[in-house]
Amino acid sequence: MSKTPESLPQEDPVFHREEFPFYWIVNVYARYTQIMEVTLKKVQLDVSRFRVLIITHQYGTASISQISEYAMAKMPTVTKIVGRLREDGLVTTLSSERDARVTEVTLTAAGKAKVEAAQLLTQKVFQKAFRGMTAAQIEKMNQSLGRVMANLNDL
């Protein structure tokens, strides 16, 4: 029998972690992070650096605040990561022409090459993680998680 979130507290006072979606979300994310750390180490990256690089790659140029928002990380943390990536020659930073208070981040040629190398490895992780699932199932999962996120943002 399928239980709705509304019915859990009233009808079933016993907590069953396997029936709690956040149990799965947290555990999937933790396992994903463990696997990604090992995978990305092969190209001298960690998950945080990869996340900043992949967001910058997706947008071409991204501000520190955009990266912070999309990576769900605090701005001081992103600023430190961007600084390390700049020292490693993987990104450049410039003040925005529209607003000098805004720092814009762009990948260097080395940064683009690093993203490509990382994507070759991480693609295998994604393929294994979603093995046996159809594109429609993945899309439905993304929609469901998007709805949960929107609901939480309303709080």
Side-chain angles (χ1 to χ4, degrees):
M1 179 170 97
S2 178
K3 297 177 184 175
T4 64
E6 295 83 14
S7 70
L8 285 175
Q10 294 84 17
E11 295 178 19
D12 190 3
V14 178
F15 176 75
H16 300 281
R17 63 187 164 92
E18 300 84 3
E19 296 174 3
F20 187 59
F22 289 111
Y23 164 81
W24 292 109
I25 291 168
V26 167
N27 281 278
V28 166
Y29 181 72
R31 185 65 183 129
Y32 162 80
T33 302
Q34 289 173 340
I35 292 167
M36 288 294 281
E37 287 289 352
V38 170
T39 301
L40 291 168
K41 191 176 271 191
K42 296 171 186 169
V43 289
Q44 294 79 45
L45 286 176
D46 57 34
V47 172
S48 298
R49 286 176 173 208
F50 175 69
R51 192 171 293 132
V52 170
L53 288 173
I54 204 76
I55 290 168
T56 306
H57 174 73
Q58 180 178 355
Y59 293 98
T61 296
S63 70
I64 297 279
S65 60
Q66 285 174 316
I67 295 168
S68 177
E69 177 185 346
Y70 302 150
M72 299 293 292
K74 294 179 181 173
M75 282 191 38
T77 301
V78 171
T79 301
K80 288 177 189 171
I81 294 167
V82 167
R84 282 184 258 148
L85 291 170
R86 187 180 53 239
E87 290 170 11
D88 292 343
L90 301 176
V91 300
T92 59
T93 58
L94 291 170
S95 292
S96 169
E97 290 180 12
R98 291 174 295 206
D99 186 343
R101 298 170 297 173
V102 175
T103 300
E104 295 181 331
V105 182
T106 306
L107 295 179
T108 63
K112 290 176 186 175
K114 185 71 80 171
V115 167
E116 288 175 17
Q119 283 182 310
L120 286 175
L121 296 173
T122 60
Q123 183 179 24
K124 295 173 187 171
V125 174
F126 297 131
Q127 287 170 346
K128 271 203 163 170
F130 295 104
R131 183 177 53 216
M133 295 179 71
T134 66
Q137 288 172 316
I138 295 167
E139 182 179 346
K140 181 67 173 170
M141 181 175 52
N142 282 332
Q143 289 171 350
S144 296
L145 291 170
R147 168 69 60 89
V148 171
M149 182 67 136
N151 291 342
L152 289 171
N153 285 339
D154 285 344
L155 293 176

